[in-house]
Amino acid sequence: MITDRIDAITRIPEAYRFATLPAPKSVKIEISPRCNYRCGFCALRNREVQPKWDMDLGLFKKITKQMRDAGVEEIGVFYLGESFMAPNLLVDCIRYLKQEIGMPYVFLTSNGSMAFPEAVEECMKAGLDSLKWSCNAANEEQFEEIMGVSKKLFHRAYENIKDAWEIRQSGGYKTGLYASSIKYDGEQQKLMEALIADKVTPYVDQHYWLPLYSMGAFATQREEELGYKPTAGNQGRLGNLRDPLPCWSAFTEGHVTAEGKLSACCFDATANWTMGDLNQVSFMDAWNSPEFVKLREAHLKRDVTGTVCEKCIAY
């Protein structure tokens, strides 16, 4: 199940509790840095200018070949943006990973609103192993408040989730279908549970709950405005939370922006945690760059004072 894979990445094994590391098992790559939502809890709100350029396919092929040669086994064809904003590129990336370099596992998370059936089926045909939906609003009113966009997209997303299930069933595709939701408090949680039971769980293989992340501390003010209290850093999923230090994000999973920058943080929308430019250096050189090694040393000591991680709400 998808939760087993998540837990395997958020757990730092003994072999990865060093400053200099072998290749991570998993890497997320930002196919498109753009998103049609303006979620109140998302780090993307902190980008002063919305990026216009998606990842260059040639760069994607170069760096993922390096990753596969180094031992990476899982590629997420998303990072911070919504990958269905660039559906043709998304399908090309999946096809390259699965059919040309033999990446064992390719996964994707989407808000669902742009995942129209034709694009979803092309992703499945290309070999996508896992498609997870992010479902975080219980009704139209909350959707407009938190996602910051028209309530029309609220209904479109759930229609696309149902359509994806039917496409997989009729086409006999092997893509796993999953969903996650932020666990809120009180009445809001009751509303979410009712919606998930009606609109989501009938059309996925597994649904699980997440805490409200702090998004690298950047979204904290907005979260407080909305009345929701964030958890520290990125501690994984509810039911198997991890300690904030050392942060697994810097040890077991790579994160690459659409520009080709390797980040140490899974919420880095503002390039504060850039550890290397993959346009200039190889993936493994960036993964074990002097800056990254020094940051991991601080995490292992459980003292990130003076580092880019110091202001994260986790500490």
Side-chain angles (χ1 to χ4, degrees), residues 105-118:
Y105 191 77
V106 178
F107 61 106
L108 170 63
T109 291
S110 168
N111 65 38
S113 67
M114 300 290 290
F116 55 93
E118 295 86 351

Side-chain angles (χ1 to χ4, degrees), residues 8 11 15 33 85 107 133 138 140 166 177 179-180 229 236 241 269 279 281 288 291 315:
R11 179 183 64 86
M85 295 287 285
F107 61 106
W133 310 111
E140 292 179 350
E166 294 174 349
L177 294 173
S180 67
K229 183 179 180 180
L241 294 176
N279 293 280
V281 300
N288 286 315
E291 296 83 2
Y315 319 121

Side-chain angles (χ1 to χ4, degrees), residues 37-77:
Y37 282 11
R38 297 292 182 271
C39 297
F41 50 78
C42 184
L44 285 179
R45 289 180 61 93
N46 296 280
R47 283 177 169 164
E48 294 182 2
V49 179
Q50 184 82 337
K52 298 179 176 63
W53 296 102
D54 301 320
M55 170 157 282
D56 176 75
L57 182 59
L59 175 62
F60 179 88
K61 290 182 176 182
K62 182 185 79 169
I63 64 176
T64 53
K65 181 63 165 60
Q66 292 174 356
M67 292 170 188
R68 185 68 189 119
D69 290 344
V72 173
E73 299 178 1
E74 302 179 4
I75 294 289
V77 280

Side-chain angles (χ1 to χ4, degrees), residues 8 32 58 85 95 136 141 147 158 187 217 248 281 284:
S32 176
M85 295 287 285
R95 185 179 295 114
N136 296 309
E141 292 73 24
M147 280 65 195
Y158 291 109
E187 186 63 27
W248 63 268
V281 300
M284 287 306 297

